[in-house]
Amino acid sequence: MTVLFWILGILAVPTLIFVLWLAWVFLKELFHPSPDDDAEATEAAEAAQAAEKLGLLPAERQDTDFAAPLPAEWTAVLTAVRGDDWRPAADLLAAIGRDWERRSALAYLLADRAAEEDAWLLAWEAERRDDPDAAVVRARSTVILAWKLRGAKTAQYTTREQAEGFHRTLVSAREEITRAAALNPDDPTPYIAEIWVALGLGYPNAEMDKLWAEISSRAPHHYEAHFSALQYWCAKWRGSKRLAFEFAERAAAGAPLGSLLTALPLIAHFEHDESEDTAADNTPEMLARVEAALQDAAAADPAHPRLPELRHLLAFYLHLQDRNEAALEQFKLVDGHVNALPWRYRGDMAGHYCRVRNTVVQAVREAAAAPA
């Protein structure tokens, strides 16, 4: 037994030495960072200062709720419903009328509030029993509530209780969607909400095609509808990389300038890009997609509620294509609000945005300082 202890002790010595060496390396790096780390930290600080001089905001001042500032009247309406006053919301939705892009965007924001607290919506429904505006907010709210119940984690980390609540709430949403659609037959908004039911309940592709026919007959170039449908067709949900790109390219090719649907191929690329470098972002196809998106953004209504989402994508891909001056122009137009692709999927949304933006600022500075 004594010999065995000696053998184990001898074998343990190298392990102990290795552990002590790792601890020494850690402490050395902690208290005396390597020159490379110092240089990177200094460069990052200089880039952040340069961004600040341009009027760009640090990470802690970036809004992570929206992709851009909301119109003042929308902010006022959302404030009113927090105080249980639904009438400004009803008046604004009525005033928007058949502007389907703005209608769906505002209905979503109201529905998101109702998914948290719906006393104001219940009061609206009680006073105006068959109001199509209240009905569409209710339908969207139930869909949003279902996804909140599910949580943001992948299926393997979703509990049985979450999955059951998710499924049950989506099923009930279908009845509310049908009612909202019947009360306002021309409105694509209820059907747009149903895309997220289709995604969650796993509608077969043929059923999704029928749903899409209802939407495209009412609003053939609706941005939110296309964005939502593209999620359905992505490989991570109910489609594949091929189906996602086919849908995105077809929609972009058939859309008029200013519709912003050139964002779709960029989104399809982002959703399926697993490469470790920027080669895939600099193919002739990607260069052409970014150029088309720039023209689309330039032709769009400046007040289009989804224009900032395209600008965020443009800023990202222009940077990856070493067009940093053009990227910086897009960053200047969206800075202050970061809830958009490609930042949205990161836990540190604002930090990720600012790191990329500051890299662009630094690249522009270095290019300006370089000898002609």
Side-chain angles (χ1 to χ4, degrees), residues 53 64 128:
K53 289 179 180 178
T64 57
R128 300 182 184 178

Side-chain angles (χ1 to χ4, degrees), residues 15-170:
T15 302
L16 178 60
I17 292 172
F18 179 69
V19 170
L20 290 172
W21 177 79
L22 282 178
W24 176 78
V25 169
F26 173 77
L27 291 171
K28 180 175 179 291
E29 285 297 312
L30 180 62
F31 295 105
H32 301 285
S34 65
D36 286 346
D37 289 341
D38 285 342
E40 289 178 5
T42 300
E43 186 174 335
E46 290 176 352
Q49 290 173 0
E52 186 176 350
K53 289 179 180 178
L54 292 174
L56 303 176
L57 301 177
E60 62 270 19
R61 293 182 60 193
Q62 299 290 336
D63 184 303
T64 57
D65 291 329
F66 303 110
L70 295 179
E73 67 229 19
W74 291 27
T75 301
V77 161
L78 294 174
T79 300
V81 298
R82 287 193 191 96
D84 289 338
D85 184 2
W86 54 269
R87 294 183 186 279
D91 292 343
L92 185 53
L93 273 176
I96 286 173
R98 297 174 62 87
D99 185 336
W100 304 131
E101 290 283 1
R102 287 177 174 80
R103 177 176 174 80
S104 70
L106 179 58
Y108 179 88
L109 293 174
L110 291 168
D112 190 50
R113 295 286 185 270
E116 299 291 340
E117 171 52 60
D118 70 345
W120 58 272
L121 182 54
L122 288 168
W124 185 356
E125 292 168 323
E127 184 161 332
R128 300 182 184 178
R129 187 175 300 276
D130 291 324
D131 187 338
D133 296 340
V136 78
V137 172
R138 173 61 69 189
R140 298 212 75 170
S141 176
T142 305
V143 175
I144 292 169
L145 176 60
W147 284 93
K148 288 181 183 289
L149 290 172
R150 181 193 182 278
K153 295 182 179 179
T154 57
Q156 62 180 324
Y157 299 112
T158 302
T159 68
R160 179 179 177 181
E161 291 77 12
Q162 286 176 307
E164 289 176 350
F166 174 60
H167 185 273
R168 183 172 58 252
T169 308
L170 283 182

Side-chain angles (χ1 to χ4, degrees), residues 223-259:
Y223 181 91
E224 186 194 347
H226 281 84
F227 175 88
S228 301
L230 179 56
Q231 293 298 310
Y232 172 93
W233 291 113
C234 282
K236 65 182 180 181
W237 287 110
R238 307 300 175 184
S240 65
K241 181 177 180 179
R242 177 183 64 82
L243 290 172
F245 271 98
E246 286 179 355
F247 176 81
E249 296 286 5
R250 184 169 59 249
L257 274 178
S259 66

Side-chain angles (χ1 to χ4, degrees), residues 314-357:
L314 280 170
F316 181 66
Y317 282 112
L318 286 166
H319 163 57
L320 295 182
Q321 294 175 358
D322 290 327
R323 299 175 63 183
N324 287 302
E325 288 190 13
L328 182 55
E329 290 306 310
Q330 298 298 324
F331 275 117
K332 289 178 179 178
L333 291 168
V334 298
D335 195 70
H337 294 76
V338 297
N339 190 358
L341 293 179
W343 332 112
R344 184 182 291 153
Y345 290 171
R346 297 291 190 99
D348 183 20
M349 193 189 309
H352 178 44
Y353 166 87
C354 285
R355 283 189 292 273
V356 176
R357 183 205 64 193

